[in-house]
Amino acid sequence: MLHTFVALVEDKPGVLTRVASLFRRLNINITSLTVGHSERPDVSRMTIVADAPAGAAHRVRASLYKLDNVLEVDDIGQFSCVVRELALIKVAATTKTRSNVFELAEVFRARIVDLAPESLMLEITGVSSKVEGLIQVLTEGENKILEISRTGRMVMRRGQHTSRVLDAMRIPEPEQVIPLLEETHGEISGGDVDLELIAEEPNNPT
């Protein structure tokens, strides 16, 4: 069974080694692993897809959380989420076979990102089954796949806002609104205006 864990880790040397060593000790195979910058400075977001028994998710999550430099761990597979994967596929193609690859790219909503005399490169984004479907059709046809590069699964929960998004959405306090109003309307008191209605106006300066 595939489990997907998202871990926020400090951007420091050795963190990736600790995570990989943990899965080796647990004898659990990592199917894919992606790492990149997160919304927080000096914090990276790590997405780990692992093939483990159904009851092992809690143990893996607890073990990850105990590691140094690991700040948060989420077993995201049990929640509603958006899943994407990006793949680059280089296919051998001549002037006679290019049109067939172009048609397949259109069907799978892939893009041609490079064209050479004897090959072309496809870029496709979507769920893993969509990427695998294009690879299967290319393989079964007359097209020869020269190279494949896949990012692995990237996952984000639906509807869960980060602290940065919540800060951006937060309505300013009355003591922050009054000085702004006085700049445009002169001196006022809190009883002269409905501060709640003003704070809800979309163009209210913050």
Side-chain angles (χ1 to χ4, degrees):
M1 179 179 180
L2 292 180
H3 300 273
T4 304
F5 303 95
V6 173
L8 294 181
V9 301
E10 293 178 328
D11 189 10
K12 293 183 177 179
V15 176
L16 184 59
T17 302
R18 293 189 188 93
V19 171
S21 298
L22 169 66
F23 280 86
R24 178 180 56 80
R25 291 197 300 273
L26 296 175
N27 196 29
I28 294 176
N29 184 46
I30 295 177
T31 303
S32 72
L33 190 154
T34 61
V35 185
H37 295 300
S38 72
E39 74 279 5
R40 304 182 192 177
D42 302 321
V43 175
S44 296
R45 181 186 178 96
M46 189 177 292
T47 304
I48 308 162
V49 181
D51 189 0
H58 179 72
R59 181 162 61 103
V60 173
R61 181 183 179 186
S63 300
L64 277 171
Y65 193 72
K66 290 178 182 177
L67 294 178
D68 292 339
N69 308 121
V70 175
L71 305 176
E72 296 179 18
V73 182
D74 193 6
D75 178 10
I76 207 167
Q78 57 185 315
F79 300 101
S80 176
C81 55
V82 175
V83 182
R84 290 292 182 272
E85 181 177 347
L86 185 145
L88 296 175
I89 306 172
K90 186 183 292 183
V91 183
T94 63
T95 53
K96 295 182 180 179
T97 60
R98 278 178 194 160
S99 59
N100 175 252
V101 180
F102 287 159
E103 291 174 1
L104 290 176
E106 186 175 354
V107 170
F108 282 87
R109 297 184 180 179
R111 293 196 308 149
I112 309 294
V113 293
D114 185 56
L115 181 63
E118 298 179 349
S119 68
L120 55 80
M121 188 184 302
L122 298 168
E123 175 192 299
I124 182 170
T125 305
V127 296
S128 298
S129 59
K130 178 183 176 183
V131 177
E132 290 165 3
L134 176 58
I135 293 173
Q136 181 180 357
V137 171
L138 288 170
T139 305
E140 292 176 348
E142 298 178 354
N143 308 292
K144 181 181 179 182
I145 295 178
L146 302 176
E147 291 183 60
I148 297 177
S149 178
R150 299 174 65 166
T151 60
R153 186 182 295 182
M154 292 182 288
V155 184
M156 185 173 288
R157 278 203 205 188
R158 291 182 182 273
Q160 184 184 33
H161 296 305
T162 63
S163 58
R164 178 173 294 184
V165 174
L166 292 175
D167 288 341
M169 296 171 61
R170 187 167 295 136
I171 296 172
E173 299 295 333
E175 54 268 21
Q176 296 175 305
V177 174
I178 290 176
L180 294 171
L181 293 175
E182 288 179 340
E183 290 181 2
T184 55
H185 301 286
E187 185 176 354
I188 60 174
S189 65
D192 294 335
V193 294
D194 189 335
L195 294 177
E196 291 186 0
L197 291 177
I198 291 173
E200 290 174 356
E201 292 180 0
N203 296 326
N204 181 46
T206 57

